[in-house]
Amino acid sequence: MPVLGGAGIVLFGSIAVSGFRTLSEAGLDDSSHIIPGTVARGAGVVPLAAPTFSADLPARAQTVLGSGISAGALVAVLLDLFLHPLGTRSHQAVALKSS
């Protein structure tokens, strides 16, 4: 079984490095890109830090908010849509390409 443990460490390590590489290309110089990432990571930790956080919520909400991955992803998507409305992205990209 030690071989499987070593393979797991390599697998998760390569996933983490890939994530760091993606974050380095995300343009984190602008605070409007930093805020969703940090708040989403914080929301992802809530189910681990306070497991009874979603106990009084309906079953569907418990399904989403009971997992750190789904809670963090939901918060990231909602904050991204709030901070970067859908119609504004194409104008920014065109402005950056023409500069």
Side-chain angles (χ1 to χ4, degrees):
M1 288 304 204
V3 174
L4 292 178
I9 291 173
V10 170
L11 174 71
F12 290 118
S14 63
I15 291 171
V17 169
S18 176
F20 293 140
R21 188 177 306 142
T22 302
L23 283 175
S24 70
E25 297 171 0
L28 297 177
D29 299 335
D30 185 8
S31 65
S32 67
H33 296 290
I34 294 174
I35 292 170
T38 55
V39 173
R41 284 185 192 85
V45 172
V46 169
L48 297 172
T52 59
F53 169 73
S54 61
D56 296 331
L57 297 175
R60 290 185 181 183
Q62 286 181 7
T63 302
V64 174
L65 298 176
S67 166
I69 293 173
S70 60
L74 178 67
V75 168
V77 168
L78 292 176
L79 277 176
D80 192 49
L81 288 174
F82 178 73
L83 293 174
H84 306 108
L86 292 176
T88 60
R89 288 185 181 227
S90 61
H91 296 146
Q92 291 174 350
V94 170
L96 290 175
K97 288 181 181 179
S98 65
S99 296

